[in-house]
Amino acid sequence: MRLSRKQKRWIREHKGLINLMKFIVVLVVVSLLYFVATLFNDSLKPGNLFGKKEPVGMQEPSGGETQNESTGNNDTVQKYVSSPVVLDEPEQELSDVEKAAQEYVANPNQDKPYLIRVNRAANCVTVYGIDESGFYSIPVKAMVCSTGKNVGDTPLGNGSITDKYTFHPMVDGTYGQFAVRFMSGGILFHSVPYYTQEKDNLETEQFNLLGDVASLGCVRLCVRDVLWIYENCPVGTDVIVYDDAADPGPLGKPEMIKIPTNSQFAGWDPTDPDSQNPWHQYSAMISGANDTTIEVGESYDPRRGVTAVDTCGNDITDKMKLSGTYDTGIPGTYSITYSVTDLIGSSATQTITLTVVDSGK
């Protein structure tokens, strides 16, 4: 279509206006196209094109959790990598048999409240209480012992308690602080022998043999255990000696603490309840467990430098239990508890605080 002279003159006179209108049309078209594109691709949105920030100081963690820090503009910066450690080493729970043993109370009206069984092959003594039906079926106490070092020295069979003694002379010239006769031929329950009738003159090397054959035929026990028989098992209490190397008894075979032969107190039985016993001044002990502060992300071993000893000073670090939870990846304060119990029942417990800090804040 040809324009008239008048139309051409109008176009020349309004050329700027026409160019502005063309620019507006192009801008509208481009805007419509961009809007349609953002519907299918979020990365084209203005906030992602011009306002996106990269994580500071780390890559995306491969495991664990992260703690985020606000930047003030609704974005977050990954700052900490969580690395929780759960220390779950509680004391071993008692079995039903062990619980029943702890709860058992002897009937004071019983003439013979207990039966004693000596497993000669296992060097273990188990004491039984009476059940509701009148049978000796409830194991209530286990004791580690030493029977005869030669086969037959401690005879098999049945016996019963007939006599009780204190500092009774043995056939080799030694003495038993407490002794209980239960079988003919001079077979006794007695303490590990003493060289003299003094409580600080124990045959220490023989004490350290408890759990193995060692005696001349009698059944040796620590002072604590033979005293229990002396006080709780009346004359007439039945005793059975048998062999079962595979099964020490329903309560198992206890272990006994070892006395360092070079100790100044080596002549005392650590289980002797005498108030003059110097071992009573000592107990299981934990050393090196201290409050600690570390930097976030720093490695930490709660066992490093921490040791434990028993009443006699023997190392029992491997018996130490830890409990608590800590996270070296997250600043904060955490509690860790150490506990240990030695072979004669002495316990120690200590709780420390681990503080994780971020000095670079």
Side-chain angles (χ1 to χ4, degrees), residues 26-334:
V26 171
L27 183 61
V28 170
V29 171
V30 171
S31 298
L32 288 173
L33 291 174
Y34 174 74
F35 174 76
V36 173
T38 59
L39 294 177
F40 299 96
N41 191 338
D42 288 341
S43 65
L44 295 176
K45 291 181 178 180
N48 291 329
L49 283 173
F50 306 109
K52 187 174 182 181
K53 297 186 182 295
E54 296 297 328
V56 175
M58 65 173 63
Q59 297 177 341
E60 183 70 20
S62 58
E65 301 176 354
T66 61
Q67 178 171 313
N68 296 325
E69 182 178 271
S70 174
T71 64
N73 60 353
N74 296 325
D75 294 321
T76 58
V77 177
Q78 292 179 338
K79 189 170 182 62
Y80 305 119
V81 178
S82 177
S83 304
V85 176
V86 179
L87 301 169
D88 186 14
E89 302 178 9
E91 293 294 330
Q92 186 174 359
E93 291 189 7
L94 298 176
S95 66
D96 291 340
V97 174
E98 291 169 327
K99 290 178 181 177
Q102 286 194 350
E103 296 169 358
Y104 182 79
V105 178
N107 185 341
N109 297 319
Q110 288 285 346
D111 293 334
K112 297 190 292 185
Y114 299 105
L115 168 71
I116 304 173
R117 292 173 60 87
V118 180
N119 186 339
R120 185 181 68 172
N123 285 288
C124 183
V125 175
T126 304
V127 180
Y128 291 80
I130 303 174
D131 63 23
E132 294 179 351
S133 300
F135 295 101
Y136 293 99
S137 66
I138 303 175
V140 298
K141 194 172 185 64
M143 308 170 180
V144 61
C145 69
S146 286
T147 55
K149 56 186 175 182
N150 297 311
V151 176
D153 286 349
T154 304
L156 299 174
N158 299 342
S160 63
I161 292 176
T162 57
D163 300 283
K164 299 180 180 182
Y165 315 91
T166 58
F167 273 113
H168 186 65
M170 304 287 106
V171 294
D172 61 353
T174 60
Y175 299 86
Q177 183 182 163
F178 294 97
V180 177
R181 188 183 304 277
F182 68 89
M183 194 174 283
S184 60
I187 304 301
L188 309 159
F189 294 112
H190 65 75
S191 70
V192 173
Y194 291 75
Y195 292 108
T196 63
Q197 296 185 38
E198 302 292 336
K199 294 182 180 182
D200 62 352
N201 207 6
L202 178 72
E203 288 192 48
T204 308
E205 294 84 356
Q206 295 299 308
F207 181 93
N208 288 339
L209 291 176
L210 282 171
D212 296 318
V213 294
S215 80
L216 299 179
C218 292
V219 179
R220 295 177 179 176
L221 299 161
C222 69
V223 168
R224 175 193 62 195
D225 289 344
V226 69
L227 178 59
W228 189 92
I229 292 176
Y230 185 96
E231 293 180 336
N232 293 280
C233 298
V235 170
T237 297
D238 294 318
V239 180
I240 300 172
V241 181
Y242 71 104
D243 279 339
D244 188 346
D247 182 8
L251 293 175
K253 178 182 177 178
E255 295 181 74
M256 180 49 62
I257 200 167
K258 303 298 183 184
I259 304 174
T261 56
N262 61 351
S263 170
Q264 61 178 319
F265 308 129
W268 281 87
D269 180 328
T271 72
D272 190 334
D274 191 301
S275 60
Q276 300 302 311
N277 188 344
W279 289 121
H280 295 340
Q281 303 173 39
Y282 299 86
S283 63
M285 184 172 63
I286 296 170
S287 301
N290 302 310
D291 292 345
T292 303
T293 299
I294 64 171
E295 282 289 327
V296 64
E298 184 179 341
S299 63
Y300 175 69
D301 180 0
R303 286 187 174 272
R304 184 176 181 181
V306 183
T307 59
V309 296
D310 65 19
T311 298
C312 292
N314 302 299
D315 188 292
I316 54 171
T317 303
D318 61 334
K319 305 294 185 184
M320 189 169 56
K321 305 293 185 182
L322 278 68
S323 62
T325 301
Y326 66 91
D327 193 332
T328 59
I330 304 296
T333 57
Y334 306 91

